Amino acid sequence: MAGVALALLGWSQIARAAGDLMIRNARLLDGTGAAARDGVSIAIREGRITAIGPDLPEAVGGPVLDAGGRTVLPGLIDAHVHFAAAPGGAFRGDSPATRRELNRRHLRAYLASGITTVLEPGSPEATVREIEQMIAEGAPAPRYLTTGPMITVPGGYPGTDLHGPVKSPEDVRQKLALIQSLNGVGVKIAVESLGGLAPYPPDILEAILSGARERGLPVYAHATAPQDQATALGYGVRAIMHSPMGGHWMGQFLPPPDLSEEYVQRMAKSGAYQQTTFSILDAWPNHYDTARLADPSVRLVVPELELETARNPEATRYFFSQLIGAQAGWTPEFLRPYIARLLFRKTNLDEGLEYSQRNVAKLYRAGVPIVAATDAPSIWPLAMYNFHGPQLAREVELLGAAGLPPDAALAAVTRVPASMLSLDAEIGTVEVGKRADLLIVDGDPQKDLRALRNVRWTVHDGVAHTPAEWING
Ligand SMILES: [Zn+2]
């Protein structure tokens, strides 16, 4: 296996192991838009790509990985994940120790699924510190980026005090300082008018937007309803963190009208990125096909504890009972499963997903940069199927099914999120000078996006392992 050396990364104070490696006999799809090339060698020194060219007859020494003609792609980026709760965590009543151990496994699951960078937007301070400490202690992990706690107000989204809500412009300044002390790469706000949540008072909103601007922190907006996305766009945000969803995930029947041409053009001009998060609806109980639990890409990387919960019908009942309880606490317990069955029928969830896919495709055609992201595990701690790792390949497939060409769907998990994160000089494509974050798969993802499930090796900072090695090694 690859030799190991310590290297200090430009955007992080965390030292990590970086490898020397020669990959031979690769079919390189470098992610720049260039056509795939066969018979390619990639030389890596201390975690960085130093040369790419036709295979030489013999390797120049050092560790060698023969890709066997398989396709090499840039390592994937999931630009929307959460570690504050594990899938099914509320049903099991995970202790903090259990959650920590599961997160250790989730970090490995990302690597085993070909994901070499994750962004956790809006995370409680304690969660960020826990993850950063694990990585500092040498836990195998993808590049971990965060925006620290979401800036929210009392009674605002997400409806809990988890993020420490701000009550004054002075509180906002302290929160921004905290985000910077956590190496935050941006600021997460929530623009959410569904569910009767409190909006930002004008002085607080102004303090957030001007404070973020002064500190050079891009603003990432949670917004799901089209009218809220239009409002967020007016704030000059870097990205809208969910596809337009209508109210299907809240149990509403009537989708809003499709995005107007005026809005689509306005978004294209703004330069803002659109995240997909189709997985929220795709992995919703009553929509998720539990046969997918047997998919090898799921079985290998998802912790057994989470698979057990996912197979347990009691967990689904609990999910709906809690969800209805949260939205309409006056509903008698015994009625909740019936209400849930009525509101969250599969056809309603299908419609919601199609609405999101159709409108994201519309944004894509207008030139809006699209970023595929899962929001795993989403609606935490209740949700139980939006698994860390394998769900990202599914997200890309759903983007392809929405009508994006395969190259655009692949760019949405590589080059485009790298540019959203201002890391395009470091990651996102396979080019000399960039970090050696690579994915080697069976099959041709340009012909069939499902090839992303067939990970043979993930190379992170020049260190190559098979999925089983990333999970168990
Ligand atoms: Zn989220």
Side-chain angles (χ1 to χ4, degrees):
M1 201 39 65
V4 167
L6 283 180
L8 213 58
L9 304 182
W11 62 88
S12 159
Q13 275 102 51
I14 298 163
R16 35 171 102 233
D20 291 350
L21 183 66
M22 173 67 84
I23 300 172
R24 289 175 47 78
N25 198 10
R27 176 179 179 273
L28 177 61
L29 190 57
D30 65 16
T32 63
R37 285 178 280 165
D38 286 305
V40 171
S41 284
I42 303 164
I44 297 162
R45 187 155 286 274
E46 291 188 359
R48 212 173 268 282
I49 299 169
T50 53
I52 298 173
D55 280 325
L56 296 169
E58 277 182 36
V60 274
V64 175
L65 193 164
D66 188 331
R70 294 184 184 85
T71 304
V72 175
L73 308 144
L76 309 183
I77 300 169
D78 192 338
H80 195 149
V81 308
H82 295 286
F83 294 109
F91 175 73
R92 291 186 302 271
D94 286 349
S95 69
T98 300
R99 200 197 53 229
R100 199 163 40 244
E101 283 321 297
L102 287 172
N103 273 338
R104 214 175 270 287
R105 181 65 187 271
H106 296 149
L107 293 171
R108 288 174 178 265
Y110 280 113
L111 290 168
S113 307
I115 297 155
T116 46
T117 299
V118 298
L119 171 67
E120 181 172 31
S123 179
E125 180 186 350
T127 306
V128 173
R129 293 200 188 282
E130 200 171 282
I131 298 287
E132 289 189 341
Q133 193 189 340
M134 263 181 221
I135 297 172
E137 288 168 1
R143 244 168 263 296
Y144 172 72
L145 306 166
T146 180
T147 65
M150 185 189 295
I151 304 191
T152 183
V153 290
Y157 187 86
T160 66
D161 285 349
L162 203 60
H163 298 268
V166 297
K167 299 184 177 106
S168 67
E170 179 48 35
D171 283 357
V172 172
R173 278 185 282 279
Q174 285 180 21
K175 193 67 84 180
L176 289 169
L178 171 67
I179 289 168
Q180 284 195 307
S181 77
L182 293 168
N183 301 317
V185 297
V187 174
K188 172 109 176 261
I189 62 168
V191 186
E192 182 60 79
S193 62
L194 295 176
L197 296 157
Y200 295 106
D203 60 333
I204 294 212
L205 181 63
E206 174 50 30
I208 298 171
L209 298 179
S210 62
R213 209 163 35 236
E214 280 158 24
R215 291 160 191 263
L217 292 170
V219 176
Y220 292 97
H222 161 100
T224 58
Q227 69 271 22
D228 293 333
Q229 298 188 336
T231 303
L233 208 54
Y235 299 159
V237 297
R238 172 71 56 92
I240 305 285
M241 301 300 271
H242 296 289
S243 54
M245 281 206 280
H248 296 83
W249 65 294
M250 295 275 213
Q252 291 181 5
F253 280 99
L254 293 175
D258 282 4
L259 297 178
S260 69
E261 202 48 44
E262 185 261 330
Y263 173 80
V264 169
Q265 292 306 326
R266 197 180 136 221
M267 178 149 190
K269 260 192 221 107
S270 78
Y273 293 75
Q274 176 68 56
Q275 290 207 342
T276 56
T277 68
F278 299 137
S279 293
I280 297 174
L281 287 166
D282 174 61
W284 198 277
N286 288 7
H287 187 271
Y288 187 90
D289 175 2
T290 48
R292 279 160 58 188
L293 297 172
D295 190 291
S297 68
V298 172
R299 269 174 50 191
L300 175 68
V301 310
V302 177
E304 187 51 41
L305 195 61
E306 292 171 15
L307 288 174
E308 261 171 37
T309 308
R311 290 189 207 105
N312 186 345
E314 283 301 322
T316 302
R317 269 195 285 279
Y318 177 84
F319 174 93
F320 285 122
S321 155
Q322 292 293 302
L323 201 68
I324 302 296
Q327 287 181 39
W330 43 266
T331 321
E333 183 68 42
F334 76 95
L335 274 178
R336 290 179 189 176
Y338 300 100
I339 298 172
R341 214 169 299 162
L342 189 69
L343 294 181
F344 298 106
R345 291 170 309 160
K346 184 172 184 308
T347 47
N348 193 29
L349 295 165
D350 281 345
E351 259 174 51
L353 187 53
E354 280 160 26
Y355 174 84
S356 288
Q357 288 175 298
R358 187 167 67 242
N359 284 286
V360 165
K362 202 167 168 177
L363 291 165
Y364 166 75
R365 285 193 298 270
V368 172
I370 305 295
V371 170
T374 60
D375 196 21
S378 69
I379 324 286
W380 44 268
L382 287 176
M384 52 211 162
Y385 299 116
N386 192 348
F387 299 115
H388 292 280
Q391 186 66 28
L392 187 61
R394 174 77 177 174
E395 186 78 30
V396 178
E397 290 165 27
L398 291 168
L399 198 47
L404 268 70
D407 280 345
L410 292 170
V413 266
T414 52
R415 191 175 71 233
V416 184
S419 138
M420 181 189 78
L421 292 163
S422 304
L423 287 177
D424 33 352
E426 294 284 343
I427 56 173
T429 58
V430 184
E431 291 178 275
V432 171
K434 290 202 178 185
R435 304 301 311 177
D437 281 3
L438 312 166
L439 170 59
I440 305 176
V441 298
D442 280 324
D444 182 355
Q446 283 181 304
K447 289 212 181 88
D448 184 354
L449 291 167
R450 280 177 299 183
L452 292 185
R453 298 183 192 193
N454 309 330
V455 180
R456 291 298 293 254
W457 291 278
T458 303
V459 183
H460 181 39
D461 275 337
V463 177
H465 289 299
T466 63
E469 287 168 350
W470 280 120
I471 288 293
N472 304 311

